[in-house]
Amino acid sequence: MGERITKDDIIRALLDASFFCSAGATSLKDVADRLGIKKASLYNHFASRDDLIRQAMASCAEYIEAITFAPADILGIARKYPAETVLKGIVNRYFRMHEKMPLFQIYTFIESQKYFSKDAADIIDAQNSKLIAQTDSVLEALRSVQKIAVPQERIHGTSICFCAAVREFLNQYLMERKSIVAANPDSGEGQLFAPPPDGHGLERVDAYIGTFAALLKGGAIPRP
């Protein structure tokens, strides 16, 4: 297998190994063992462990960049559904994307590195900025069809508040999901990254969104 592995294979093995013990605790031997090769073979593709981590970060950033929060036809959706339904729909979709492979692994890899790597912190900052900008577009659409009563000049601040809550709920949700995965390490990849749906986790998010949407409908500005 040593001659057939690619950089992408090695990066996936790194993400898989670090899912269980964090990137900082994952060695090149751990990665090589996942691939069934000798550690020395990794140097055919990467100059060092730091080089592997750096290129893995770049690969993760590229994948995350393609993830969207707001649907393309958000104005049409805003016309058709109440604000609460729109917000619940996009947030639930966002959560479901993150609990699937490979985004589940990518998210936990980046999060585990954010205090140790500027690259990881920059990836998270960029994703947060995109999340807020796309939430701006959702709230602008809802405002334009009179589904919410928030003044235009308060849209961005409201988006920041909403996204901060979404990120916190997502972190809690995935932490709970990861504990399920970690408790079943021998279930196989198909089972490993597809634990049963966690209705309770999403119920908490839906309850928050219901309260948030009611405030927006009445023109109130939610606070963090």
Side-chain angles (χ1 to χ4, degrees):
M1 182 179 180
E3 295 300 320
R4 297 193 299 271
I5 66 167
T6 66
K7 284 188 174 183
D8 286 342
D9 292 329
I10 296 170
I11 288 172
R12 283 193 294 269
L14 169 67
L15 295 177
D16 191 20
S18 64
F19 185 85
F20 295 98
C21 60
S22 83
T26 300
S27 67
L28 288 180
K29 184 178 184 303
D30 294 328
V31 176
D33 287 347
R34 293 253 168 198
L35 294 166
I37 61 175
K38 294 181 179 180
K39 185 176 78 171
S41 298
L42 298 178
Y43 293 105
N44 294 328
H45 301 275
F46 300 95
S48 63
R49 182 182 180 280
D50 287 344
D51 184 37
L52 169 56
I53 295 293
R54 180 183 60 80
Q55 293 197 46
M57 287 285 179
S59 177
C60 290
E62 183 178 352
Y63 190 95
I64 291 173
E65 177 60 29
I67 301 299
T68 60
F69 184 62
D73 184 25
I74 186 58
L75 185 57
I77 293 171
R79 287 193 182 103
K80 188 174 181 180
Y81 298 104
E84 181 177 344
T85 301
V86 173
L87 293 173
K88 284 181 179 179
I90 61 176
V91 170
N92 274 256
R93 172 180 168 272
Y94 194 66
F95 276 42
R96 293 304 191 195
M97 285 192 297
H98 278 78
E99 71 176 7
K100 294 179 181 178
M101 180 181 178
L103 191 52
F104 195 178
Q105 290 172 300
I106 289 171
Y107 185 90
T108 55
F109 175 73
I110 297 297
E111 284 289 321
S112 75
Q113 288 292 95
K114 66 183 178 182
Y115 297 116
F116 309 101
S117 164
K118 185 178 183 302
D119 288 342
D122 288 346
I123 291 170
I124 292 171
D125 285 345
Q127 179 67 359
N128 288 344
S129 295
K130 186 172 77 170
L131 187 65
I132 292 168
Q134 292 191 5
T135 302
D136 283 348
S137 71
V138 173
L139 297 183
E140 286 282 9
L142 290 169
R143 187 190 68 83
S144 71
V145 295
Q146 301 181 336
K147 297 294 179 69
I148 62 175
V150 178
Q152 194 279 332
E153 65 272 14
R154 303 299 298 274
I155 289 291
H156 187 64
T158 303
S159 295
I160 292 173
C161 174
F162 182 73
C163 291
V166 168
R167 290 193 301 270
E168 180 61 26
F169 277 119
L170 180 63
N171 285 337
Q172 293 175 7
Y173 183 74
L174 292 183
M175 182 173 64
E176 292 169 3
R177 306 299 280 157
K178 185 176 179 180
S179 69
I180 295 173
V181 172
N184 298 277
D186 299 320
S187 58
E189 189 174 273
Q191 295 294 323
L192 194 61
F193 295 98
D198 181 7
H200 178 61
L202 292 178
E203 283 175 3
R204 294 196 300 265
V205 181
D206 285 347
Y208 168 79
I209 293 173
T211 301
F212 188 92
L215 290 171
L216 298 184
K217 186 176 181 180
I221 309 299
R223 301 296 180 187

